[in-house]
Amino acid sequence: EAYTRYWGDWVTTVPAETMQWRTRTAKCCLATSWSDYYCSVLDTMMQEFDADGVYLDGVMARSCSRGVAHGHQGMADWPLSAARAHFKKLLYVARKNKGEKSVLFGHVSLGTVAPIVGLLDLHLKGENYGSPLDYDALTPDVMRAEFGRQWGPQSIILPQLTKKQAIPAGRFLGLIALHDVDCAPSWLPPKERQKMLLPMWSIFEDFRIDQATFHPYWEQSLFREAGGNPISFYAHAERGDYLVVVANQTAGAVRLAIAAGEGVDSVGGLARTERLLSGRKAAWHEGQLALDLDPWEYDLIRIGSAEGEGR
């Protein structure tokens, strides 16, 4: 009903090139009353159906066929101001209904447009790895640039491992764990999710990483590996409690030798050391923690004082 009523304002035609999934799709311009209508629907969903927010697929500044008529001043292909204004309104509606517990979740694999996606609470990205890019292109430097917190929100990667390219699960999980990036679970069958993902998520939840500070390998010097392998960790520094991420990103077995800085020793941080994922023994010898990792294996190591076990 609304589409029929406001058709002339929202769009003028349905271009042939918008044929998607066997359905003709009309692109509505965000500089029209479509934006207000969209926001009113979100408001209704949150009030009447107790929705927490909205998932937005393919977040971009979409092109507009009417250009200057809609105030884009010749920037018809990239109406950034109109898109940013629309997202600010969505954010207002979400926060008005559920405050900080509301969620705007956006899929930004097509491109991270900072003036827009900086207003989101969560980013879903990475669908382009597997196709057209392969996972060899997802290097640590690329992870830092594309999935880092410099964009603001937390990033969640959408793997295409089962559909496009198969790599060892440990390789993928170790890479994202080193960078504080989570993943959508759809790439694993249910039994494999229970075996591989739930233990990792349970450890993160038990440690309360939401209340901890993440220290990535490129910015920290508290835990160092003798061979230069990357070490990242989460810290509850006030109680001397650390969750250390180690990962073997090679096809051969490795032995890591990790030394802890004075900041750990000063709070009795070596009193408790546990390899939480593998369950293997972990012991310090002459100030170093020796860890064996199988090919592509990663592990989460709890290091802390015996007194610092508060949850």
Side-chain angles (χ1 to χ4, degrees):
E1 180 181 351
Y3 201 74
T4 301
R5 180 175 179 182
Y6 295 110
W7 168 270
D9 180 41
W10 293 350
V11 296
T12 55
T13 185
V14 185
E17 62 269 19
T18 63
M19 180 73 74
Q20 297 177 5
W21 305 292
R22 301 179 183 176
T23 303
R24 291 202 303 171
T25 304
K27 296 179 180 179
C28 297
C29 178
L30 293 174
T32 67
S33 59
W34 164 256
S35 176
D36 291 335
Y37 174 74
Y38 196 108
C39 291
S40 70
V41 171
L42 174 60
D43 192 42
T44 298
M45 292 298 295
M46 296 189 74
Q47 289 191 40
E48 298 186 12
F49 297 93
D50 198 30
D52 294 317
V54 64
Y55 169 76
L56 303 149
D57 197 30
V59 174
M60 291 286 285
R62 300 288 182 177
S63 60
C64 172
S65 60
R66 299 183 70 174
V68 177
H70 283 171
H72 301 318
Q73 299 179 347
M75 296 293 290
D77 291 336
W78 293 94
L80 293 175
S81 295
R84 180 171 170 81
H86 174 66
F87 278 84
K88 289 173 71 175
K89 288 191 291 185
L90 287 176
L91 188 63
Y92 171 81
V93 171
R95 297 294 189 264
K96 176 178 72 74
N97 281 284
K98 289 206 170 181
E100 293 183 358
K101 293 184 178 181
S102 61
V103 178
L104 295 186
F105 189 11
H107 185 188
V108 296
S109 289
L110 293 175
T112 307
V113 184
I116 306 171
V117 302
L119 296 168
L120 299 172
D121 297 301
L122 283 171
H123 289 171
L124 185 68
K125 57 173 62 174
E127 191 178 23
N128 47 318
Y129 294 99
S131 178
L133 302 174
D134 63 36
Y135 278 89
D136 289 334
L138 195 58
T139 64
D141 285 344
V142 171
M143 286 289 295
R144 289 165 58 181
E146 188 169 349
F147 296 86
R149 283 298 187 94
Q150 68 269 21
W151 303 107
Q154 169 77 35
S155 291
I156 296 177
I157 191 168
L158 181 61
Q160 297 294 301
L161 294 173
T162 56
K163 298 178 181 178
K164 305 292 184 180
Q165 179 190 4
I167 67 171
R171 172 187 172 184
F172 173 73
L173 292 174
L175 182 64
I176 66 173
L178 283 171
H179 295 84
D180 189 34
V181 176
D182 205 350
C183 69
S186 54
W187 59 287
L188 283 171
K191 289 185 178 179
E192 295 301 308
R193 293 179 206 173
Q194 185 173 6
K195 178 181 177 181
M196 295 183 182
L197 283 181
L198 292 185
M200 178 183 74
W201 286 342
S202 296
I203 292 168
F204 284 152
E205 185 173 349
D206 181 57
F207 190 77
R208 293 306 301 268
I209 64 169
D210 60 312
Q211 297 177 3
T213 301
F214 179 69
H215 298 268
Y217 59 87
W218 63 91
E219 289 183 351
Q220 67 90 9
S221 59
L222 189 59
F223 294 98
R224 308 302 291 177
E225 202 281 317
N229 289 285
I231 306 290
S232 298
F233 66 92
Y234 299 89
H236 292 289
E238 72 286 351
R239 66 178 191 234
D241 204 5
Y242 306 91
L243 185 64
V244 177
V245 181
V246 296
N248 178 12
Q249 288 284 288
T250 71
V254 298
R255 169 165 286 189
L256 304 184
I258 302 173
E262 293 181 0
V264 178
D265 294 333
S266 64
V267 293
L270 306 185
R272 171 184 177 177
T273 302
E274 297 177 273
R275 296 186 64 171
L276 299 179
L277 272 178
S278 67
R280 299 186 199 178
K281 292 183 179 180
W284 294 85
H285 179 67
E286 296 182 353
Q288 286 194 331
L289 178 63
L291 299 174
D292 291 315
L293 293 174
D294 293 332
W296 306 115
E297 183 185 9
Y298 78 107
D299 211 341
L300 300 174
I301 305 167
R302 186 80 176 265
I303 300 176
S305 62
E307 296 78 19
E309 299 184 11
R311 297 292 188 262

